[in-house]
Amino acid sequence: MLSELGFILITTFIAIVSCSTLSRALLHPSSVSHNVSRSSYYLTTNELWFNQTLDHYSHYDHRKFRQRYYEFMDYFRAPDGPMFMIICGEGPCNGIANDYINVLAKRFEAGVVSLEHRYYGKSSPFDSLATKNLKYLSSKQALLDLAAFRQHYQESLNVKFNMSSGGNENSWFFFGISYAGALSAWFRLKFPHLTCGSLASSAVVRAVYEFSEFDKQIGESAGQECKAALQETNKLLELGLKVNNKAVKSLFNATEFDVDADFLYLTADAAVMAFQYGNQDKLCVPLVEAKKNGSDLVETFSKYVREYCMRIWGLRVRSYNRKHLRKNTVVTADGAYRLWWFQTCTELGYFQVAPKNDSVRSQQINTEFHLDLCKSLFGEGVYPKVDATNLYYGGDRLKATKIIFTNGSQDPWRHASKQNSSHEMPSYIIKCHNCGHGIDLRGCPQSPMVIEDGVNKVRQQMVDNIDMWLSQCRNPTRNSI
């Protein structure tokens, strides 16, 4: 068993390494790096498989595909202990991460299972990610995947522990961060009889067409000095592209770009990574210093991109190159970028457009840029139906019960989450230095030896709610769904 210090150090590495994802791709993980061993980072990497229905809405299509999942039962109190479902989001799911859910599982003597999202990682129904094969990729199908798997796994527990299928079941609780956090909330909304409650961490439950609040939050999180330095850097980048295009891109190891706006999206996302995942000091300290000293801002920024975004956090240049994204239809880990663009281009939006005034990113990153990229990757007629998505789920005004919403105060994605709190759906804004995406579960990477009070307070609220809702599940006569 890990000591408290050991747990804090490992969760710190998780926050730095596993969150090495691009802001447009929310939380999909890159490979483990930075000398973090798989045995330390994961509770388990043992792959298991479930035969999943391809199209849950068809009465005639009975095709199945293999969906990857994991289980960790070391703390499980057999036979009636609770089950924790960790929802994997928009990327490969390579195991059950050793984050704060490990502490919760031990506290509640829970078993833990985690299901990979359809199409991502090794759970692809097809051998090609061509547009024609992506018709079954949606949040609705993913929710039904979770329901089918949950039922299957419960039935296996019934058989294993000789429990009657029509009688008592284990109490289930769902967890997710970011898009997976939205799925966690939506699962409780659509299938309240299948879960006692949900944690929706940094959950982007509101589909957004033009998400200008995203960039505004980056400016607020940066502070005035860093914001001014970023804005000046951006102007110098745009000017440099006009004067010596290849030289500027070479500073970022990005000479392969044919479309300048794609390159500017990469640089905007690189800046976002610092704030989204609680590493803003890595960017702001050298950039502000360079501005004060009259040093080269573009060179300083490119050094941050190369040394942190690329070397440590896993940013890949080709994943921003539309030519690569259009042609790369092979099922690999890199395919996650194309898959997530399909979900945003058809269902969710989240187009991170530059505000008209005081923007941190280039004005070239506008609505037209996103729509043109969608068309370039998937053809004519592709458009994010965000109104229909929000009508179906309720957006940030969804009507449900027993969902905990948590958000970091400096996370730009919180503006697509539910920030208003109620008795049935408590919502907590975690306020601390470098409070980024999923901080309640992953911790703060800038404070490896200390968990700040803001995080601790919200974690205690999480424990209290989970305890209460699991108790109500075990004693249903005391509380209705």
Side-chain angles (χ1 to χ4, degrees):
M1 203 61 58
L2 293 171
S3 66
E4 182 178 357
L5 174 59
F7 167 74
I8 291 173
L9 290 172
I10 288 176
T11 52
T12 297
F13 281 126
I14 290 172
I16 294 174
V17 181
S18 75
C19 288
S20 60
T21 61
L22 314 183
S23 68
R24 72 170 181 224
L26 305 184
L27 275 175
H28 90 70
S30 63
S31 58
V32 176
S33 59
H34 200 48
N35 299 320
V36 181
S37 70
R38 290 177 66 88
S39 60
S40 297
Y41 175 68
Y42 291 110
L43 296 174
T44 180
T45 57
N46 183 40
E47 297 176 346
L48 301 169
W49 300 93
F50 172 61
N51 286 328
Q52 185 63 265
T53 299
L54 176 63
D55 185 4
H56 294 285
Y57 292 96
S58 175
H59 296 293
Y60 311 104
D61 188 346
H62 302 296
R63 286 178 294 174
K64 302 277 188 178
F65 69 96
R66 278 162 47 89
Q67 193 166 23
R68 182 166 58 164
Y69 75 96
Y70 304 88
E71 65 178 8
F72 180 76
M73 304 296 282
D74 286 20
Y75 309 139
F76 182 63
R77 185 187 69 248
D80 62 344
M83 288 299 305
F84 287 174
M85 166 71 86
I86 301 175
I87 303 174
C88 289
E90 67 287 12
C93 188
N94 297 315
I96 296 178
N98 185 9
D99 59 14
Y100 188 65
I101 295 178
N102 178 37
V103 175
L104 293 174
K106 183 179 180 182
R107 162 70 173 74
F108 290 101
E109 299 178 290
V112 183
V113 290
S114 186
L115 184 70
E116 187 168 58
H117 196 293
R118 60 169 49 210
Y119 281 87
Y120 292 94
K122 295 184 179 180
S123 298
S124 180
F126 301 99
D127 294 331
S128 166
L129 302 182
T131 303
K132 65 179 181 179
N133 291 336
L134 303 183
K135 62 184 293 186
Y136 308 106
L137 174 57
S138 71
S139 62
K140 294 178 183 178
Q141 295 277 10
L143 289 175
L144 287 164
D145 286 348
L146 289 164
F149 174 79
R150 186 265 189 217
Q151 292 296 82
H152 163 79
Y153 199 89
Q154 181 62 60
E155 289 171 4
S156 71
L157 291 175
N158 293 343
V159 171
K160 183 175 182 179
F161 297 112
N162 195 28
M163 296 188 294
S164 60
S165 58
N168 294 328
E169 287 193 338
N170 299 86
S171 300
W172 287 71
F173 203 95
F174 278 55
F175 296 82
I177 303 176
S178 200
Y179 166 60
L183 291 175
S184 180
W186 294 337
F187 190 87
R188 172 64 192 174
L189 172 71
K190 298 298 184 181
F191 301 98
H193 58 295
L194 296 182
T195 175
C196 301
S198 290
L199 174 69
S201 174
S202 300
V204 288
V205 292
R206 180 172 70 96
V208 189
Y209 181 48
E210 295 175 316
F211 197 9
S212 59
E213 301 102 316
F214 188 95
D215 193 77
K216 290 178 182 177
Q217 182 62 56
I218 295 298
E220 291 177 16
S221 298
Q224 194 54 48
E225 281 190 315
C226 185
K227 177 182 177 181
L230 279 170
Q231 290 174 326
E232 185 173 342
T233 302
N234 204 54
K235 291 178 181 177
L236 291 171
L237 279 170
E238 292 179 315
L239 178 62
L241 290 174
K242 294 177 181 178
V243 175
N244 196 336
N245 191 288
K246 188 172 183 179
V248 170
K249 291 175 182 175
S250 66
L251 289 173
F252 298 83
N253 299 326
T255 55
E256 66 184 65
F257 282 108
D258 296 327
V259 179
D260 286 351
D262 288 352
F263 170 75
L264 291 170
Y265 198 105
L266 177 145
T267 58
D269 244 15
V272 167
M273 290 175 75
F275 302 98
Q276 182 170 328
Y277 297 117
N279 287 286
Q280 68 186 67
D281 295 345
K282 296 287 192 294
L283 169 62
C284 286
V285 171
L287 205 60
V288 169
E289 184 178 347
K291 181 174 170 58
K292 289 180 177 179
N293 296 337
S295 302
D296 191 323
L297 286 173
V298 171
E299 173 59 39
T300 301
F301 181 63
S302 68
K303 183 179 180 181
Y304 152 79
V305 173
R306 294 192 308 270
E307 292 189 359
Y308 290 104
C309 297
M310 294 179 177
R311 186 172 65 86
I312 296 178
W313 300 334
L315 182 146
R316 295 182 176 91
V317 170
R318 63 187 177 186
S319 301
Y320 289 83
N321 186 339
R322 68 181 62 195
K323 182 169 63 177
H324 171 76
L325 290 169
R326 183 172 60 248
K327 294 180 179 179
N328 182 33
T329 58
V330 179
V331 178
T332 64
D334 273 356
Y337 298 86
R338 175 176 170 81
L339 293 169
W340 181 243
W341 270 116
F342 182 81
Q343 289 194 257
T344 58
C345 287
T346 59
E347 183 182 19
L348 301 169
Y350 307 133
F351 289 169
Q352 296 156 30
V353 299
K356 292 182 179 178
N357 300 306
D358 206 28
S359 175
V360 176
R361 67 182 59 211
S362 170
Q363 291 293 331
Q364 294 183 43
I365 309 304
N366 52 25
T367 306
E368 289 71 27
F369 164 80
H370 289 88
L371 292 176
D372 184 62
L373 183 59
C374 291
K375 177 182 175 181
S376 176
L377 298 186
F378 308 112
E380 297 280 357
V382 174
Y383 186 84
K385 301 176 179 64
V386 297
D387 289 342
T389 300
N390 287 328
L391 183 64
Y392 184 74
Y393 294 121
D396 56 0
R397 296 184 295 172
L398 77 170
K399 301 298 182 183
T401 62
K402 299 180 181 177
I403 304 172
I404 307 166
F405 288 91
T406 57
N407 287 281
S409 59
Q410 296 176 323
D411 181 12
W413 287 106
R414 71 183 178 93
H415 298 284
S417 187
K418 188 180 187 302
Q419 300 185 82
N420 294 325
S421 189
S422 67
H423 176 70
E424 292 288 1
M425 289 188 291
S427 179
Y428 306 104
I429 303 295
I430 305 172
K431 297 179 179 179
C432 62
H433 182 57
N434 287 322
C435 272
H437 212 55
I439 188 171
D440 54 328
L441 293 180
R442 300 187 183 278
C444 180
Q446 294 300 319
S447 304
M449 307 301 290
V450 177
I451 298 297
E452 297 194 38
D453 287 343
V455 179
N456 272 331
K457 288 179 181 178
V458 170
R459 284 180 172 177
Q460 186 56 54
Q461 295 280 4
M462 289 160 49
V463 169
D464 292 345
N465 279 291
I466 294 170
D467 192 19
M468 178 174 62
W469 296 341
L470 287 177
S471 297
Q472 291 171 351
C473 249
R474 289 191 294 270
N475 301 281
T477 57
R478 292 168 54 187
N479 193 76
S480 62
I481 290 176

